[in-house]
Amino acid sequence: MTDQTIQRIASDTPNVAPGFVQRVRGLSDRAVAWLFIGPTLAILLAINIFPLIWTVYLSFTNYRANQPGREVKWVGTRNYERLLGSEDIWGYLQATAHFVVWTMVLQVLIGFGLALLINRNFRGASFWTTLILIPMMLSPAVVGTFWTYIYQPQTGIFSYIIDFFAGTGAIDMIGSVTLAPWAIIIVDTWMWAPYIMLLCLAGLRSIPDYLYEAAEIDRANALQKFWYITLPRVLPFLMLAVLFRGIENFKMFDMVVELTSGGPGSTTELASINLKREAFEKWRTGFSSAFAIILFVTVFGLGNIYVKALNKVKS
Amino acid sequence: MRILMTTALAAAVSAASLSGANAQDKELTLCWAAWDPANALVELSKDFTAKTGIGMNFEFVPWTSFADRMLNELNSGGKLCDLMIGDSQWIGGGATYGHYVKLNDFFEKEGISMDDFLPATVNAYSTWPKGTPNYYALPAMGDALGWVYRKDWFERPEIQEAFKAEHGRDLGVPKNWTELREIAQFFQGREIDGKKVYGAAIYTERGSEGITMGVTAALYPWGFKYENTPGKYDMEGAVNSPEAVEALEFYKSMYETATPPGHSDAYMVANLDAYKSGQVAMQMNWFAFFPGIAKDEAVGGDVSGFFANPSQNVEGSTLGGQGISVVSYSDKQEEALEYIKWFAQPDVQAKWWALGGYSCHVAVAGADDFAESTPFAGEFLKAMGSVKDFWQEPIYAELLQAMQKRVHDYVVADQGTAQEALDKLIEDWTISFEDDGKL
């Protein structure tokens, strides 16, 4: 910002104290820039960076937030050792990985498939698009609750439909160790495949028609057009959608708590659910801080690798 | 002179009206769980407002999130609640972390004697450390885990005949857990009035405290102990004793062979629903719900019968219930103590029982006609005579979550053996007590 610009702004602004212009005029461009980004930076430090550093510190202590008067002792790496040596923690991480991987696979397949269908611009396409998008507009807690009724083995529609077509009898999706992990995957896919569809649709609609026309001239078949035009053009959108959903599902909490409470046993106890239990039910703040750091490093590391891959695809 | 008199009169009138307005303006907030007895307390508290002019607000939270919500409130030093009817297990934390006001001096000053309340309730709801005369609550709501059964089904001749043919004895209230399971299995899948019914609705909830409350209802009659020596935290051989293993295996067999389909995450409301809808022959639930069941349109009156938790090796029932405490962060402690003073009166306690609350006052629960006053009162007294509670340690929530996980893993998810589940539970509890400096 030049001095002339500052003067112009100041002169255009009514009721500015006379000293202000001079004070601003005395500042360098760099100082003015700091003036603008300073408050944002301060807020960022206060609510993001400081808590992160504080969490790292707490992860090496025996601190409990519900016992403010208790002596806080430095316990070294004990919390990390307990975490990494615990079969239960590895179980929660495995459950989380199973959930994230399968929801991503199913949501990409279904979301992309739906986007290809909707992109055909058939009659009533707008209506169907709106209808498909409804699940992602609902609250996850509400979705979790009403799917417990849908999955109810005696009165739920899900069990009835499966029994009607496959003659399985009543199936207990939530109470079965084998089925419960799939129960939460199905609900999440039902809810969020439309989101993937939406981003893919944006990608599909950004592909210029002349590319397909040129392919027609070159006598490319449908599969070749899909492989060489559609997929590469949509891939950055798809990868972005997977990044967003992957991070969200790594942190999944509300829907699963309402649906299964992490059960049966600990079958669907995802990392976030256990983290909440450690932090705010057991009040093992130091231990849960260490768990949070491990999860943060995992998501941050995987996210970085993924973003690099995404940039590569884009370029 | 006349002017002076008029001014004095006006001042007196306005002072009186102001003090009246102040009494009207005073309000207390009482925090408790959202359930039937809470509605009775709202009704009862109208008398307090009428007598003192102090208004009452209520903050009721569903049981499944009650502990989460209210313990967070206490831990953060919140001023939302002036009075807290906290669960019995909170007393250790409430006293140790200074959430509750110690009431000894107040009781002494107001002539409130703990001898006027049932000893089991005083010990469980009011004292910390256990067994010492340090009071942090007044016993407010006596409760224990009991059973409700379809008396009308049990009395049907064709059902009685079928049961006798199968088991060689009359169908009736079970005397022990073995009989309880036999009866539940007898009803499992049976057709009654053209509808398939099931044996028993038992607690299996994972998220808060459900399955622990259910499992301990079996563990205690088998003679389960938390420690070999009280206060020593020596759990090896007590928590995982052969009797405890047998009881846990028994509870699992109840879950697998005598509960309705999909009953894998059930607590109070789910059991009530299963019972009221005619799905099950029996349900386990807190006595607190029994007044509502006795009055229910579908299953009230002669349709239902009630019994205390059956024995096995010994008598034993899981303790429920709560004491009422003054929250130390409240700015209205004086008014809150006023409420406790009023609540402790025998006539108020009698009305509390009449409205559906379980009075712990000897003048009410110890009266000659108490056992006959309702179909479940006698069973309630029987249960209260042999109640046991979960750990009441300040870190009880951590201990509870560990047990929720271990027993749900075994009973519902069918992972490992009962012995392994209890061994792992000892490991978890040992770490917790070590971290807390008790071991």
Side-chain angles (χ1 to χ4, degrees):
Chain A
M1 204 182 292
T2 61
D3 282 358
Q4 287 86 345
T5 316
I6 293 169
Q7 196 157 25
R8 187 169 50 77
I9 292 169
S11 62
D12 288 350
T13 311
N15 302 325
V16 175
F20 175 78
V21 178
Q22 278 176 344
R23 280 203 301 275
V24 171
R25 190 181 288 161
L27 294 174
S28 66
D29 285 358
R30 182 176 286 269
V32 172
W34 275 107
L35 203 63
F36 279 105
I37 63 167
T40 312
L41 207 62
I43 291 170
L44 193 72
L45 280 168
I47 64 172
N48 269 5
I49 309 299
F50 170 72
L52 182 66
I53 295 167
W54 190 243
T55 307
V56 172
Y57 161 69
L58 289 179
S59 72
F60 293 102
T61 69
N62 68 345
Y63 179 64
R64 284 171 184 265
N66 67 333
Q67 299 178 20
R70 189 174 182 243
E71 187 193 355
V72 179
K73 283 185 190 161
W74 181 266
V75 295
T77 55
R78 190 181 75 183
N79 290 329
Y80 288 94
E81 284 163 27
R82 276 187 183 170
L83 274 163
L84 297 173
S86 161
E87 276 180 32
D88 296 329
I89 295 292
W90 285 108
Y92 306 137
L93 290 173
Q94 271 178 22
T96 309
H98 182 269
F99 175 71
V100 172
V101 169
W102 280 106
T103 48
M104 287 304 94
V105 168
L106 292 174
Q107 285 172 29
V108 163
L109 290 175
I110 295 170
F112 196 16
L114 284 172
L116 288 170
L117 281 176
I118 294 291
N119 196 41
R120 286 173 177 266
N121 275 332
F122 55 91
R123 200 173 161 195
S126 304
F127 168 76
W128 286 107
T129 309
T130 311
L131 205 66
I132 290 167
L133 291 180
I134 287 174
M136 63 174 260
M137 295 172 191
L138 301 172
S139 148
V142 171
V143 168
T145 304
F146 78 67
W147 270 87
T148 57
Y149 296 107
I150 292 174
Y151 278 144
Q152 218 288 330
Q154 294 174 85
T155 54
I157 188 78
F158 187 87
S159 179
Y160 176 80
I161 291 171
I162 300 288
D163 183 34
F164 185 80
F165 287 108
T168 53
I171 54 165
D172 187 1
M173 288 293 289
I174 293 173
S176 155
V177 176
T178 323
L179 298 176
W182 294 101
I184 60 173
I185 287 168
I186 290 169
V187 177
D188 193 74
T189 303
W190 173 82
M191 191 171 177
W192 290 110
Y195 176 77
I196 306 266
M197 179 200 84
L198 207 60
L199 288 195
C200 288
L201 204 56
L204 287 170
R205 300 220 163 133
S206 71
I207 303 173
D209 286 341
Y210 67 79
L211 288 179
Y212 290 109
E213 287 160 12
E216 289 278 343
I217 293 165
D218 290 343
R219 298 196 167 198
N221 62 27
L223 190 66
Q224 286 168 324
K225 278 191 268 184
F226 175 79
W227 191 254
Y228 292 109
I229 300 172
T230 310
L231 194 59
R233 292 272 167 169
V234 175
L235 202 56
F237 291 85
L238 196 59
M239 287 185 74
L240 208 58
V242 168
L243 179 70
F244 291 154
R245 287 306 313 147
I247 290 173
E248 282 300 308
N249 278 3
F250 202 85
K251 301 185 297 182
M252 172 54 70
F253 179 81
D254 35 13
M255 183 272 284
V256 177
V257 164
E258 288 301 321
L259 192 59
T260 66
S261 303
S266 309
T267 316
T268 58
E269 186 157 335
L270 307 181
S272 304
I273 297 174
N274 184 258
L275 182 58
K276 187 259 179 181
R277 283 189 172 143
E278 292 292 341
F280 300 111
E281 289 178 24
K282 296 183 179 180
W283 291 100
R284 300 169 75 188
T285 315
F287 182 82
S288 54
S289 296
F291 195 15
I293 293 297
I294 288 176
L295 292 179
F296 172 74
V297 169
T298 310
V299 175
F300 193 72
L302 290 174
N304 259 330
I305 295 167
Y306 192 87
V307 168
K308 277 184 182 158
L310 179 66
N311 287 336
K312 214 171 181 180
V313 167
K314 271 185 179 172
S315 66
Chain B
M1 186 67 186
R2 186 182 288 171
I3 293 170
L4 200 65
M5 289 278 284
T6 313
T7 313
L9 189 66
V13 167
S14 59
S17 65
L18 267 175
S19 89
N22 278 346
Q24 290 280 324
D25 289 346
K26 280 180 188 168
E27 282 190 338
L28 287 173
T29 300
L30 186 151
C31 298
W32 199 11
W35 60 336
D36 289 355
N39 301 328
L41 191 67
V42 172
E43 200 56 36
L44 182 73
S45 297
K46 286 176 184 167
D47 291 354
F48 174 73
T49 302
K51 189 179 172 189
T52 62
I54 299 171
M56 292 297 292
N57 290 319
F58 297 92
E59 191 71 27
F60 297 147
V61 180
W63 268 111
T64 44
S65 43
F66 177 55
D68 254 14
R69 170 76 183 86
M70 288 307 164
L71 290 177
N72 280 349
E73 182 66 26
L74 292 174
N75 287 328
S76 59
K79 291 177 185 288
L80 171 71
C81 312
D82 304 303
L83 287 157
M84 174 72 76
I85 304 190
D87 224 350
S88 53
Q89 299 98 329
W90 303 5
I91 198 80
T96 309
Y97 305 146
H99 301 323
Y100 294 163
V101 172
K102 192 174 181 182
L103 298 172
N104 287 51
D105 292 345
F106 165 72
F107 285 165
E108 202 174 321
K109 185 182 152 205
E110 299 296 341
I112 298 169
S113 169
M114 284 294 104
D115 294 340
D116 291 339
F117 293 84
L118 298 175
T121 64
V122 174
N123 182 57
Y125 307 149
S126 304
T127 61
W128 187 261
K130 286 291 125 196
T132 64
N134 295 293
Y135 306 117
Y136 291 88
L138 181 91
M141 170 77 193
D143 204 0
L145 196 145
W147 292 81
V148 191
Y149 70 101
R150 286 296 297 260
K151 201 173 165 190
D152 56 334
W153 293 356
F154 275 47
E155 287 171 351
R156 287 190 188 181
E158 72 277 13
I159 291 177
Q160 286 187 337
E161 273 172 35
F163 186 82
K164 192 155 191 174
E166 206 171 298
H167 294 287
R169 62 180 174 87
D170 290 332
L171 174 62
V173 171
K175 293 184 188 68
N176 52 45
W177 272 76
T178 309
E179 289 188 10
L180 179 79
R181 186 176 62 181
E182 275 177 10
I183 296 169
Q185 288 171 339
F186 168 78
F187 278 103
Q188 183 77 357
R190 186 166 290 272
E191 198 162 288
I192 294 178
D193 300 334
K195 192 178 155 190
K196 194 176 186 180
V197 303
Y198 301 92
I202 61 174
Y203 290 162
T204 56
E205 185 249 11
R206 170 72 175 89
S208 59
E209 60 171 20
I211 196 163
T212 299
M213 297 298 113
V215 162
T216 50
L219 288 171
Y220 296 150
W222 257 265
F224 176 84
K225 286 178 184 168
Y226 290 95
E227 308 159 272
N228 291 303
T229 322
K232 296 287 180 196
Y233 307 99
D234 49 349
M235 297 169 283
E236 189 65 42
V239 171
N240 58 355
S241 67
E243 292 78 19
V245 171
E246 191 182 314
L248 189 54
E249 286 169 347
F250 198 94
Y251 196 81
K252 181 181 166 67
S253 75
M254 279 279 288
Y255 169 70
E256 286 175 342
T257 63
T259 57
H263 207 71
S264 57
D265 193 20
Y267 199 21
M268 312 171 202
V269 176
N271 281 11
L272 281 173
D273 289 346
Y275 183 77
K276 286 181 180 176
S277 63
Q279 205 185 1
V280 290
M282 296 181 286
Q283 65 152 326
M284 68 160 46
N285 228 324
W286 300 110
F287 272 89
F289 291 109
F290 294 1
I293 293 170
K295 283 187 279 187
D296 189 82
E297 276 183 18
V299 294
D302 290 336
V303 173
S304 293
F306 307 88
F307 59 91
N309 198 39
S311 66
Q312 189 70 12
N313 301 331
V314 293
E315 299 283 343
S317 288
T318 304
L319 179 80
Q322 301 85 29
I324 183 167
S325 302
V326 176
V327 176
S328 61
Y329 315 113
S330 164
D331 295 328
K332 300 169 193 163
Q333 290 184 17
E334 218 168 286
E335 291 81 8
L337 290 169
E338 183 76 18
Y339 185 90
I340 290 188
K341 182 183 162 187
W342 167 81
F343 187 72
Q345 296 170 70
D347 57 327
V348 175
Q349 289 286 311
K351 190 171 181 185
W352 175 222
W353 168 241
L355 287 170
Y358 280 78
S359 170
C360 306
H361 204 286
V362 173
V364 179
D368 293 340
D369 59 348
F370 179 82
E372 306 303 323
S373 59
T374 66
F376 44 83
E379 295 298 314
F380 169 68
L381 283 182
K382 186 182 166 192
M384 291 306 287
S386 62
V387 283
K388 282 194 79 166
D389 201 7
F390 188 73
W391 293 105
Q392 292 193 343
E393 295 287 324
I395 54 161
Y396 103 92
E398 184 175 337
L399 305 170
L400 179 67
Q401 281 305 316
M403 185 153 182
Q404 283 288 108
K405 175 178 165 52
R406 295 304 173 199
V407 296
H408 209 272
D409 275 351
Y410 171 66
V411 173
V412 179
D414 194 25
Q415 287 169 358
T417 64
Q419 184 73 56
E420 285 167 358
L422 294 173
D423 289 347
K424 282 180 181 171
L425 185 58
I426 293 177
E427 284 173 28
D428 295 340
W429 283 354
T430 301
I431 289 174
S432 299
F433 285 125
E434 280 173 358
D435 286 352
D436 199 39
K438 297 281 173 68
L439 278 175

